[in-house]
Amino acid sequence: MFGAKYLPIRKKLSMIIMASALLAVVLLSTVFIVYEYISLRNNIIKEFSTTSKIIANRSHAALLFSDTATLQENVDSLKIHDDVEATCLYNEMDDILASFNKKENETSCPDHPSRNLNHFDERYYQISEPIVVDGEAMGLLYIRVSLNSLNRHLSTYVITTGVFALIVICAVFIFSSFLQNFISTPLLLLKDTARQITRKKDYSLRATKESHDEIGDMVDTFNEMLATIQQQNKTILNDAEGLELKVEERTKELAMANKELEAFSYSVSHDLRAPLRAIDGFSKALLEDYGSELDHTAHDYLRRVRSASQKMGVLISSLLQLSRVTRKEIKDTHFDLSDMIMHIIHQMQEQEPDRLIDVQIQPEMYIMADPQLMEVALDNLLGNAWKYTKYEKFPKIEIGYYVENGHTIYFIKDNGAGFDERYAKNLFTAFQRLHSPEQFEGTGIGLATVSRIIHRHHGDIWAKSTIDEGATFYFTLYDNRPQPGETESFSSGTNPDKQTDKQTEKNT
């Protein structure tokens, strides 16, 4: 299942169609087989209930006059039925008056059969019919029927159903191979066009529109974007005069192209929400409306479908947040970063009231930045510290700042799981994670969003860590990190890498 994400879209679509068809065929085949089995059993019950009543009625007089010859004759009349293996006729004292058994090596008649026997076991169907004369039970007829014919018929039916199901699956496979082209072909053509444009730098190329649905709209948007970029390139190449003006115009045009790319990304992410909601909704409807008809495996599959669609919804929301962070206009404001941090910690504590974490916040950290963007960045950084300390017995988070050679550096330190610093460069890249989803959930977009926000403030962000000993994230605003060769000096705040006695405000 985990390797499916690396499969081409053609195979993924074929797998979805095949899985749905296989589930439907298995369910229908099971229903038909069970129905056939119940019908065969009901036919046996109906046939021998009638037969036993007829023979019991014919045996009234012979039983009264102890005419064993007639009774034996009545019993022997069932020999013509291939499935009847034994028949026994008793008097009121359970003495056998007449009987026959096709298998001599088996016991033919039970000693004291039940008066209301109507029972199936693995090999036989057994039935008894009281012989009543003038309202008084004078005897009992017992019949044992072999189920070999029923089992043979049922086996033939199962084989026939299996062959038919195999034919249906093969037909669905052939049909799915044709059907998936309607979705995969336009996407593959779009991919090939984008690859050619990247390789040749030829923006006159256009993607071929194969459909008039959402994919077709995406192709139109892509072609419009190419037309815009092509026109920009023509404008830049044709304008030989006024270099500064042309550079400025090109910058504006490129900004417009980037905006269209961001809008394109937003549109694609937004259009994915509707099918995801449909997948989740119909999966939930299947569980609620047909849950009693589905087996455990089907329930498990549907729960996996719902979980995957909901996880993808979270991923799309994270991508949209990353897109908004890129597009939002920065409005700098002077505010207390400590208050914002305490507010975020308070919200996390409300969501997990059972967790006790020693949170130390350096007071009165006033900064000049965009409050909304900084809240998003801090929410991600503090959320990571909160998340990666969940297995610690005494979790601790420290937030503060220090000044090093004129550079104001803010930090968020925890004593959680940490990470291998060899892979630190991957931390701030989208979809890059250093821990498995089984250990710590996440989308891999949070730190990429933080990095985008910090760099939009013309700052820098980096991290240091040791596995199982926690991690420290540093960032600057409107400044670059100090170089390793610069002399350290501290005008205020506390460097988390240096031992200090200064106490910071606690919020647990």
Side-chain angles (χ1 to χ4, degrees), residues 13-24 168-174 176:
L13 292 172
S14 296
M15 286 174 60
I16 292 173
I17 297 174
M18 289 296 298
S20 302
L22 181 62
L23 179 61
V168 171
I169 291 299
C170 292
V172 170
F173 176 77
I174 296 172
S176 67

Side-chain angles (χ1 to χ4, degrees), residues 18 37 83 113 228 264-265 329 338-339 356 368 395 410 423 473 493 501:
M18 289 296 298
Y37 176 69
D83 293 329
T228 301
F264 174 73
S265 173
E329 179 182 356
S338 301
D339 288 343
L356 296 177
M368 179 68 73
Y410 302 89
Y423 308 106
F473 284 82
D501 294 328

Side-chain angles (χ1 to χ4, degrees), residues 360-362 365 398-402 409-412 494:
Q360 299 181 356
I361 305 171
Q362 191 168 322
M365 292 189 291
E398 299 176 47
I399 307 100
Y401 79 99
Y402 62 95
I409 301 172
Y410 302 89
F411 66 86
I412 296 176
T494 304

Side-chain angles (χ1 to χ4, degrees), residues 322-337:
L322 180 60
S323 177
R324 294 190 187 102
V325 163
T326 302
R327 291 182 288 112
K328 184 184 181 302
E329 179 182 356
I330 293 182
K331 297 180 179 179
D332 286 340
T333 304
H334 191 257
F335 64 95
D336 189 350
L337 192 66

